[in-house]
């Protein structure tokens, strides 16, 4: 097989923007480019593998296996609607419960048909036969043993999941739509503990059908020794648990409809074994209804029934409203530091109602444990339910405005799929919103606990979605970082305490997290256009950067030589490309903000210039950026005394130290995150000061050396489940020129989707679109529904925050960035003409580029564009 002569030149000549019209459904743009290139050069190549399921298309058959789509509000908890229509992942108690399968089921019963009663779900996937909890004991009480529809197809248009069901026994067209409000810029209505399940039925037969719809649920909130009951609600019921004397945490979950003929069974048959479910199914099977009044206690479950008839061709939709209320928790994380007085620039803190930009902000909240924001808005489940039903039409309309605008995009299908799939992170228990309205995040979700607490700055550096979709919530993270999490010296604790209060400062600051936060302050200012906020937070930002300089670059060389803690949970010793790019970006951000405020920036400009030279010479090997390992001649103690994680230096490790230097470095390796700070700078509205030719060379090297189409021969003794075997993926690091250390930094052999997305989008930003799409394609191929959930890109936990780097694709491909300070829209398309989604502080809509002309259409709120810059041309 021959090699192509000039692959990159070919891509430049054909122009990526010309491919959209002829792109086959089952071939990505990266594959299309590859095929066309080799047609031009007459090279024989192996045909790319065909995907049976095109990107951003419906899931069916084996691709439904693992589909589980989150429904809920930002920081309010969630449940998942599986691709078949089943309900799982019931996580509504202010913590994850990933393997919660409450055996809730909807059903349809058509009178007069021999097999007229079925659960409104497609066939359960085979892994439910054996592979879940209690499977070896028969999966007691599971609804998988009941009759299901034989066919299911799931289509996602975030935040809507549409499931079409069909079965030869029933002359019905059935569609289930599950959703919850998601309205960019409206953080409050997007943070509610609610969801909807809309069941639509159309009579495809020749005769009128008499049918009964039902929702059936055990009281899955019940705890041993607790006080549980099922309470009445108009056209529905409330599952309730008051808790125990030792643990008096109450929780409510409601199902209700707007159908006035709804009949409610508040208490299933009480008996042993699986009598309650058996009797509930008997009622469904016999196409009956049962009205049972509430009982004082020990009701095993409840059902609501809606009888209806359908003439030939007639259609009916039954809306099932879902709401929950768990106002308290026992969650607290982190050590309590010294409380600061409420805030002004001189006191070193910046939180106030105006800063956060929320309607309600309770500064006096000082509870011991986390309380969700919604508990400050509603007194009980009844208030939540009433609000949901009353506001349903408006919330659905505004959510559809977002969905329609987002899916008008003409960007590559794999891009749309990746961005939408990871927006589900914002609905997962990874994201929390405390009583006063401020955001607080885990890194991801453990199976039943939050994984890695505290809005970890070095992980959430990567995330780009919240800043554009809900800017007020993102600013609340900056306010916390530079207030409660920063001390008078400028040291930031990279893990915020919960409830949000001042931290102790007994551990390393995270260099990437703290420097990235400075760039993100610039981003939040440009997105909001709020000069008052900038003036107030600027003194703390300057203090933060001064701390970084004195701690990691005391000689002011412009690179971080002292050991610096980072996202790999270790310290790098000596200057490296990754953190030098962060440092230069932070210096550039402070200079931009300080110059706007007419501050003296001479010191920072001098350090920036020296750092640029150091990075482009000492840290550049001619192809990519590296680390210059150094552990002698520093202010820091030797590594045997200063290592934070990884155990003490054993005798063997000390011997290795003499030969290779400290454990857990990358040295001459090609690091996928090697110029991460440059990507973040661009995402934050800053010009990258590093030589772009060298940046591009580094990114191309990452694509060349770190991207693997098949990992079968790759040795990964670390955490392999992210990608292994026949999976493809982008390795965190490789050593193509030798020099791999015996113990390189932990995680180095792994694959993380958040890094795949940031590298891919950075490649697109610098014009290497085909290479970026290739990385993205390999990444999303692992999440196609067969083995992994397409809506749960995991790393250290489910719904991992780093994967929100995927939102960067929108800016990367289009160059679209709205600057609210200058009221300017910037466009720098890498794909020719396009239409793409745009969200700003004041509204959202679409941006289109056609024949050099830019059109902005705001569909919600307003977008005040007074000037448009298309590449170097001003209109």
């Amino acid at each position: 097989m021959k090699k192509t002569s000039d692959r990159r030149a070919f891509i430049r000549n054909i122009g990526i923007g010309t491919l959209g019209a002829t792109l086959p459904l089952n071939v990505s743009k990266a594959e299309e480019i590859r095929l066309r290139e080799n047609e031009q050069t007459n090279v024989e190549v192996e045909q790319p593998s065909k995907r049976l399921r095109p990107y951003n298309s419906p899931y069916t058959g084996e691709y439904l296996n693992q589909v589980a789509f989150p429904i809920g509000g930002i920081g309010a908890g969630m449940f998942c609607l599986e691709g078949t229509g089943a309900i799982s992942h019931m996580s509504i108690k202010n913590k994850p419960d990933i393997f919660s399968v409450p055996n809730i089921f909807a059903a349809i019963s058509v009178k007069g048909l021999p097999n007229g009663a079925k659960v409104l779900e497609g066939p359960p996937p085979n892994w439910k036969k054996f592979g879940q909890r209690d499977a070896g004991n028969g999966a007691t009480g599971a609804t998988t043993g009941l009759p299901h529809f034989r066919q299911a197809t799931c289509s996602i248009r975030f935040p809507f999941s549409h499931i079409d069901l069909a079965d030869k026994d029933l002359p019905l067209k059935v569609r289930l739509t599950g959703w919850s409000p998601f309205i960019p810029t409206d953080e409050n209505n997007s943070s509610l503990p609610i969801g909807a399940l809309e069941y639509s039925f159309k009579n495809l037969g020749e005769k009128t059908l008499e049918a009964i719809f039902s929702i059936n649920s055990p009281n899955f909130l019940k705890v041993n020794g607790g006080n549980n009951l099922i309470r009445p609600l108009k056209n529905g019921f409330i599952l309730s648990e008051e808790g125990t004397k030792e643990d008096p945490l109450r929780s409510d979950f409601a199902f209700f409809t707007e159908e006035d003929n709804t009949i409610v069974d508040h208490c299933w048959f009480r008996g042993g074994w699986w009598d309650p479910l058996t009797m509930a199914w008997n009622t469904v099977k016999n196409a009956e209804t049962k009205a049972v009044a509430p009982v004082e206690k020990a009701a095993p479950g409840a059902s609501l029934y809606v009888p209806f008839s359908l003439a030939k061709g007639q259609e009916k939709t039954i809306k099932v409203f879902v709401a929950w209320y768990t106002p308290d928790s026992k969650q607290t994380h982190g050590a309590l530091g010294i409380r600061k007085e409420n805030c002004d620039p001189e006191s070193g803190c910046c939180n106030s109602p105006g800063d956060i930009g929320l309607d309600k902000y309770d500064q006096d909240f000082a509870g011991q444990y986390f309380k969700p924001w919604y508990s400050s808005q509603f007194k009980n489940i009844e208030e939540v339910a009433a609000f949901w039903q009353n506001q349903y039409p408006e919330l659905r309309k505004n959510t559809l405005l977002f969905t329609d605008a987002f899916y008008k995009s003409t960007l590559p299908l794999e891009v749309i799929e990746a961005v939408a799939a990871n927006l589900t992170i914002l609905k997962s228990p990874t994201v929390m919103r405390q009583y006063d309205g401020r955001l607080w995040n885990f890194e991801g979700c453990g199976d039943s606990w939050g994984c890695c607490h505290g809005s970890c700055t070095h992980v959430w550096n990567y995330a780009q979605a919240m800043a554009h979709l809900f800017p007020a919530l993102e600013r609340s993270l900056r306010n916390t970082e530079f207030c409660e999490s920063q001390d008078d010296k400028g040291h930031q604790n990279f893990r915020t305490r919960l409830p949000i209060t001042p931290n102790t400062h007994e551990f390393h600051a995270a260099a990437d997290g703290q420097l990235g936060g400075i760039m993100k302050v610039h981003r939040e200012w440009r997105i909001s256009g709020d000069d008052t906020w900038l003036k107030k937070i600027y003194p703390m930002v300057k203090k933060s950067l001064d701390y970084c300089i004195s701690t990691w670059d005391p000689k002011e060389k412009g690179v971080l030589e002292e050991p610096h803690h980072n996202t790999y949970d270790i310290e790098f010793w000596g200057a490296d490309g990754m953190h030098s790019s962060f440092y230069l970006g932070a210096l550039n951000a402070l200079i931009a903000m300080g110059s706007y405020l007419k501050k003296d920036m001479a010191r920072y400009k001098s350090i920036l210039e020296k750092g640029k030279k150091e990075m482009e010479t000492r840290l550049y090997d001619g192809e990519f950026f590296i680390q210059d390992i150094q552990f002698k001649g520093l202010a820091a103690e030797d590594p045997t005394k200063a290592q934070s994680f990884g155990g003490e230096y054993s005798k063997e490790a000390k011997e290795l130290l003499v030969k290779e230097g400290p454990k857990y470095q990358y040295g001459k390796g090609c690091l996928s995150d090697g110029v991460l700070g440059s990507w973040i700078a661009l995402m934050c509205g800053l010009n990258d000061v590093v030589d772009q030719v060298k940046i591009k060379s580094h990114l191309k090297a990452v694509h060349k050396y770190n991207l693997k189409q098949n990992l079968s021969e790759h040795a990964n003794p670390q955490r392999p489940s992210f990608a292994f075997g026949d999976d493809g993926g982008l390795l965190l690091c490789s050593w193509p020129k030798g020099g791999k250390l015996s113990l390189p930094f932990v995680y180095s052999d792994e694959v993380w989707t958040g890094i795949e997305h940031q590298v891919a989008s950075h490649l697109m930003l610098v014009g290497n679109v085909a290479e970026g799409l290739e990385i993205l394609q390999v990444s999303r191929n692992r999440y196609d529904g067969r083995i992994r959930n397409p809506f749960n890109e995991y790393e250290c936990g489910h719904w991992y925050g780093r994967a929100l780097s995927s939102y960067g694709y929108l800016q990367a491909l289009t160059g679209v960035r709205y600057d609210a300070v200058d009221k300017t829209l910037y466009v720098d398309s890498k794909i020719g003409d396009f239409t793409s989604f745009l969200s700003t502080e004041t509204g959202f809509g679409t941006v289109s580029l056609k024949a050099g002309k830019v059109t902005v259409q705001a569909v919600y709120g307003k977008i005040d564009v007074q000037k448009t810059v298309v590449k170097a041309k001003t209109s």
Side-chain angles (χ1 to χ4, degrees), residues 247 283 333:
D247 189 10
T283 303
H333 298 278

Side-chain angles (χ1 to χ4, degrees), residues 378-613:
F378 304 99
K379 295 178 181 178
N380 50 47
I381 185 72
E382 286 83 0
E383 285 193 2
V384 177
F387 180 87
W388 185 204
Q389 186 167 354
N390 290 336
Q391 298 298 315
Y392 187 90
E394 184 72 8
L395 295 177
R396 198 181 199 283
K397 180 192 77 174
N398 290 337
T399 300
L400 270 174
L401 288 176
F402 160 73
T403 300
D404 290 344
F406 181 81
Y407 285 96
K408 280 183 180 177
S409 174
T410 60
L411 303 186
L413 298 178
E414 51 265 56
V415 168
I416 300 304
E417 178 177 291
V419 175
N422 285 308
L423 290 182
T424 62
I425 295 168
L426 303 182
K427 291 181 172 289
S428 77
T430 294
V431 176
M432 301 179 76
R433 192 179 176 195
Q434 75 168 22
Y435 189 86
D436 62 10
R438 282 191 278 177
L439 205 64
W440 186 97
N441 306 320
F442 290 105
E443 292 181 26
C445 299
D447 293 344
S448 59
W449 66 93
C451 185
C452 305
H453 75 277
S455 308
C456 180
T457 57
H458 55 63
V459 167
W460 285 87
N461 261 340
Y462 295 74
Q464 299 302 320
M466 189 75 78
H468 295 278
L469 298 171
F470 302 100
L473 291 181
E474 185 70 30
R475 283 197 303 280
S476 78
L477 291 175
R478 300 293 84 72
N479 292 341
T480 298
E481 288 166 13
F482 290 91
C483 175
E484 283 89 349
S485 291
Q486 182 168 301
D487 67 10
D488 293 337
K489 298 177 182 178
H491 173 284
Q492 266 185 22
N493 191 321
F494 60 89
R495 296 194 186 278
T496 296
R497 190 177 184 275
L498 185 72
I500 299 172
T501 42
N503 276 3
T504 58
H505 293 268
E506 299 170 350
F507 191 72
H508 303 296
D512 47 358
Q514 189 155 340
L515 292 166
I518 294 169
M519 288 188 272
K520 289 187 287 187
V521 168
H522 182 272
R523 180 187 64 189
E524 270 60 274
W525 166 50
R526 306 307 297 202
I527 287 175
S528 68
D530 190 342
D531 287 358
T532 301
W533 179 79
L534 175 65
K535 291 174 184 177
K536 193 167 188 181
I537 201 172
Y538 178 82
M540 287 75 78
V541 175
K542 179 179 178 296
K543 184 178 290 186
S544 173
L545 184 56
D546 288 344
Y547 173 87
C548 296
I549 295 170
S550 63
T551 303
W552 298 309
D553 183 25
K555 299 175 184 177
E556 299 193 2
K557 293 183 178 180
V559 290
L560 309 187
E561 290 186 332
E562 296 291 329
H564 39 285
H565 192 75
N566 57 69
T567 197
Y568 306 122
D569 298 324
I570 45 80
E571 291 75 54
F572 283 154
W573 291 72
D576 66 272
M578 173 183 173
H579 291 89
S580 293
S581 68
F582 268 100
Y583 192 18
L584 297 179
L587 286 162
N588 196 23
L590 190 80
I591 291 168
M593 294 183 287
S595 298
Y596 184 86
L597 298 175
K598 303 187 185 309
K599 307 291 184 180
D600 182 6
M601 292 287 106
R603 178 195 180 200
Y604 304 104
K605 290 179 179 178
S606 174
I607 297 174
L608 177 65
E609 191 59 36
K610 287 184 285 186
K612 177 178 174 358
K613 183 177 179 180

Side-chain angles (χ1 to χ4, degrees), residues 850-871:
K850 186 174 183 179
K853 182 179 180 181
V854 176
T855 304
V856 178
Q857 181 181 8
V859 299
Y860 183 87
K862 62 180 182 179
I863 304 174
D864 183 12
V865 178
Q866 297 182 7
K867 184 172 71 171
T868 300
V869 176
V870 182
K871 292 186 178 180

Side-chain angles (χ1 to χ4, degrees), residues 132-274:
Q132 59 180 335
R133 291 180 182 177
D134 195 42
N137 196 38
T140 303
T143 59
T144 50
L146 303 177
H148 287 57
F149 278 69
R150 290 180 171 85
Q151 297 176 27
T153 300
C154 177
S155 304
I156 302 297
R157 284 174 61 87
F158 182 88
F160 296 88
S161 174
H162 303 289
I163 301 170
D164 294 301
L165 302 172
D167 193 291
K168 62 181 179 59
D169 293 331
L170 299 178
L172 285 172
K173 179 181 180 181
V174 180
R175 167 166 277 202
L176 161 59
T177 297
W179 70 283
S180 50
F182 191 89
I183 308 164
T185 74
D186 185 353
E187 62 277 345
N188 288 349
N189 280 323
S190 301
S191 301
L192 299 171
I194 57 176
L197 301 170
E198 302 172 353
Y199 293 86
S200 296
F201 306 94
K202 183 176 182 179
N203 184 355
L204 301 178
E206 297 298 319
K207 299 179 180 179
T208 296
L209 299 178
E210 299 293 333
I212 298 172
F213 166 83
S214 63
I215 278 279
N216 311 270
S217 177
N219 190 354
F220 60 88
L221 297 176
K222 179 180 178 180
V223 297
N224 291 333
N227 180 19
N228 63 87
L229 65 157
I230 297 179
R231 309 202 315 266
L233 183 68
K234 182 181 179 182
N235 298 327
F237 57 85
I238 301 170
L239 308 174
S240 186
E241 173 58 73
E242 296 293 331
T244 65
K245 290 182 179 179
E246 296 76 21
D247 189 10
L249 295 180
R250 63 189 175 101
S251 189
D252 296 316
F253 197 95
F255 291 99
F256 58 101
T257 77
E258 59 185 4
E259 305 287 336
D260 289 334
N261 65 332
T262 299
I263 300 165
V264 182
D265 175 358
H266 292 89
C267 181
W268 283 357
F269 183 94
R270 286 177 281 188
W273 296 88
W274 32 84

Side-chain angles (χ1 to χ4, degrees), residues 247-319:
D247 189 10
L249 295 180
R250 63 189 175 101
S251 189
D252 296 316
F253 197 95
F255 291 99
F256 58 101
T257 77
E258 59 185 4
E259 305 287 336
D260 289 334
N261 65 332
T262 299
I263 300 165
V264 182
D265 175 358
H266 292 89
C267 181
W268 283 357
F269 183 94
R270 286 177 281 188
W273 296 88
W274 32 84
D275 294 354
L277 180 59
T278 300
M279 295 298 284
W281 178 251
N282 284 342
T283 303
V284 172
K285 179 185 64 176
N286 296 329
E288 298 171 346
T289 63
K290 185 180 290 186
V292 179
V295 297
E296 291 185 1
K297 61 179 181 180
S303 300
L304 63 80
Y305 306 93
V306 180
F308 65 99
S309 62
L310 285 179
K312 175 184 175 181
Q314 189 177 2
E315 188 170 357
K316 179 178 179 60
T317 297
I318 298 172
K319 302 183 186 73

